[in-house]
Amino acid sequence: MKFALQKSPIPESRIFVAKELKEKHFDATWHAHSEYQLFMVLKGTGTRFIGNTVQSFNEGDLTFLGPGMPHLWRSDSTYFDKRSKLLTHGLVIYFRADFIGDLIEKEEMQQVKDLFEKAKRGIAYYGQTVSRLAAMMTHIIEAHGAASLIQLLQMLETMAQAKNYHLLHNADYIYGLKESETRRINVVYNYAAQHFRSRIALQELADLLSMTPTSFSRYFRMKTSKSFSDFITELRIRHACKLLSEEDGKTINQVSYECGFNTLSNFNRQFRLYMKMTPKGYREQFSVL
């Protein structure tokens, strides 16, 4: 799997780019770029990796990332099946870090400046803010000339004033991987996203990276601040959260099995550790009253 520190997605003649994405699956390459990015999933499911965070995504997932933050939206395996008719659909806006210029230092732009600082940690929006920003993103994509830039500024103000959000990292995320190192992480993330439902031996990943299991474990912890075992458990728990919120009648035991846990007791213990509640309690949050 190739890695690319992407060239600017914005032509030199433009300040920003807003576009609609309709593809078989989202880009499966772990990458970073020097622009801010606002991305919304309109259709599609899978797992997103932003910095060293792991989270399932589905319709309505909306994130705002600062420059240099590596990311990957890994669509579920069914989207890669040539026989599947599933398609992904998203909206994305890229803009340069300096597009506002010296105006960012003016008093009127203080809230937007604060927003840009938060974006260094990654922002995920939720609730009514998502639908409001989705409409604004659509208007920006359809607009032309100065009108599109004015709408972008209005959207940034809305984002800056929004209350329905959480930060993805506890501190500014510093992208410190070299291209060769990130290529390795890309291989690991994609492999893990495809195989987390079954047992993954360290030897499998070590072989993919031409390392010994011990070297791989040390390397992964150094680059992601977590052990590979914790990473896989988190990946499974995030997928379990998605399954528990769906109304398809799966029992908790079935969810546990589908997420790669060998025993229900282990699933319950790990779920409580990561989510601070039981699987049953989590499901009840999504029950129709």
Side-chain angles (χ1 to χ4, degrees):
M1 190 71 66
K2 293 183 178 180
F3 168 83
L5 276 172
Q6 286 190 343
K7 294 182 179 179
S8 174
I10 307 174
E12 291 185 7
S13 60
R14 301 282 301 277
I15 296 175
F16 73 97
V17 167
K19 57 185 178 180
E20 185 175 18
L21 306 175
K22 288 185 178 181
E23 302 289 346
K24 179 69 176 170
H25 54 76
F26 292 127
D27 184 2
T29 304
W30 169 252
H31 66 278
H33 43 71
S34 60
E35 292 74 26
Y36 287 93
Q37 172 183 301
L38 181 67
F39 180 59
M40 177 163 190
V41 177
L42 297 178
K43 185 181 296 185
T45 61
T47 305
R48 61 167 160 82
F49 304 88
I50 298 177
N52 67 351
T53 68
V54 180
Q55 182 71 56
S56 294
F57 72 80
N58 48 30
E59 179 180 334
D61 188 75
L62 178 61
T63 52
F64 182 47
L65 308 182
M69 182 171 289
H71 50 272
L72 161 64
W73 273 256
R74 191 17 163 113
S75 300
D76 285 332
S77 298
T78 51
Y79 289 86
F80 293 86
D81 188 339
K82 294 181 179 179
R83 298 167 296 179
S84 173
K85 296 183 180 180
L86 292 173
L87 291 174
T88 58
H89 186 192
L91 303 176
V92 63
I93 296 178
Y94 304 101
F95 59 88
R96 303 182 190 281
D98 60 351
F99 92 104
I100 296 179
D102 293 339
L103 287 177
I104 196 65
E105 300 300 332
K106 302 303 180 181
E107 182 178 345
E108 294 86 346
M109 299 298 291
Q110 185 59 50
Q111 283 189 314
V112 173
K113 185 178 181 180
D114 293 342
L115 171 69
F116 289 172
E117 284 298 310
K118 292 175 184 176
K120 293 179 180 179
R121 299 163 64 180
I123 303 173
Y125 292 97
Y126 59 90
Q128 294 181 348
T129 300
V130 172
S131 57
R132 189 177 305 121
L133 291 177
M136 300 182 82
M137 291 177 76
T138 300
H139 291 157
I140 291 172
I141 290 173
E142 296 173 348
H144 300 282
S148 63
L149 180 57
I150 292 171
Q151 291 188 26
L152 175 60
L153 292 172
Q154 291 175 335
M155 186 183 71
L156 290 175
E157 183 178 26
T158 298
M159 293 165 63
Q161 295 177 351
K163 303 298 183 183
N164 298 331
Y165 73 89
H166 65 264
L167 301 180
L168 300 179
H169 294 89
N170 293 327
D172 292 357
Y173 184 82
I174 300 175
Y175 175 57
L177 300 183
K178 297 179 181 178
E179 182 175 347
S180 59
E181 295 173 335
T182 315
R183 189 180 294 118
R184 289 175 169 179
I185 296 297
N186 189 47
V187 171
V188 173
Y189 280 7
N190 274 282
Y191 189 87
Q194 294 178 65
H195 300 92
F196 72 87
R197 295 172 182 83
S198 57
R199 182 178 178 275
I200 301 179
L202 278 180
Q203 187 67 57
E204 296 177 52
L205 275 303
D207 288 345
L208 286 175
L209 303 187
S210 299
M211 291 180 170
T212 65
T214 300
S215 295
F216 170 75
S217 295
R218 186 183 306 114
Y219 173 83
F220 190 85
R221 181 182 289 276
M222 181 173 61
K223 300 305 179 184
T224 66
S225 303
K226 64 182 71 174
S227 70
F228 182 71
S229 176
D230 287 344
F231 168 72
I232 290 298
T233 299
E234 185 177 6
L235 194 56
R236 289 170 174 165
I237 294 298
R238 296 303 182 186
H239 186 64
C241 289
K242 182 170 70 172
L243 295 181
L244 290 168
S245 65
E246 296 173 350
E247 298 180 8
D248 60 357
K250 284 188 177 69
T251 66
I252 291 178
N253 191 47
Q254 288 173 321
V255 170
S256 169
Y257 177 77
E258 288 191 26
C259 293
F261 291 93
N262 292 327
T263 65
L264 181 60
S265 59
N266 184 42
F267 172 58
N268 285 327
R269 182 170 58 254
Q270 296 294 342
F271 195 96
R272 183 187 289 272
L273 177 65
Y274 278 83
M275 302 305 297
K276 310 304 180 187
M277 66 176 69
T278 65
K280 181 180 179 181
Y282 186 87
R283 166 166 277 173
E284 288 174 349
Q285 292 183 343
F286 298 91
S287 299
V288 178
L289 299 178

